[in-house]
């Protein structure tokens, strides 16, 4: 950034690492929800999250 910029310096490697970590965590949580749906112990919130990921799954990489 320039001398007069008020925006903080961006560490792109750190941002990429955080994004990948969040994707891994999201995948792990989705697998847990799938397991609960398979067991029949899923809550209403689990089903809501699962249905939302099925509708948006192809658009989020």
């Amino acid at each position: 950034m320039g001398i007069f910029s008020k925006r903080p310096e961006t560490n792109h490697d750190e941002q990429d690492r955080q994004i990948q970590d969040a994707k891994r965590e999201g995948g792990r949580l989705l697998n847990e929800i799938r397991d609960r749906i398979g067991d029949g112990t899923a809550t209403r919130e689990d089903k809501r999250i699962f249905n939302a990921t099925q509708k948006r799954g192809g658009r989020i990489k």
Side-chain angles (χ1 to χ4, degrees):
M1 306 283 352
I3 296 171
F4 300 108
S5 177
K6 292 183 180 182
R7 292 178 61 188
E9 191 69 29
T10 303
N11 185 349
H12 295 289
D13 293 333
E14 179 64 22
Q15 271 185 339
D16 289 342
R17 188 189 63 75
Q18 288 175 347
I19 289 170
Q20 292 301 322
D21 289 345
K23 285 182 182 180
R24 270 190 230 99
E25 178 69 14
R28 185 184 63 76
L29 291 173
L30 187 57
N31 286 336
E32 289 177 7
I33 289 172
R34 280 193 186 120
D35 290 343
R36 287 195 294 264
I37 288 174
D39 293 345
T41 59
T43 63
R44 186 175 196 174
E45 185 72 9
D46 289 340
K47 293 176 185 176
R48 186 186 68 77
I49 292 169
F50 181 77
N51 286 334
T53 60
Q54 297 304 305
K55 293 176 185 172
R56 298 181 59 190
R59 292 183 278 166
I60 300 174
K61 301 277 180 186

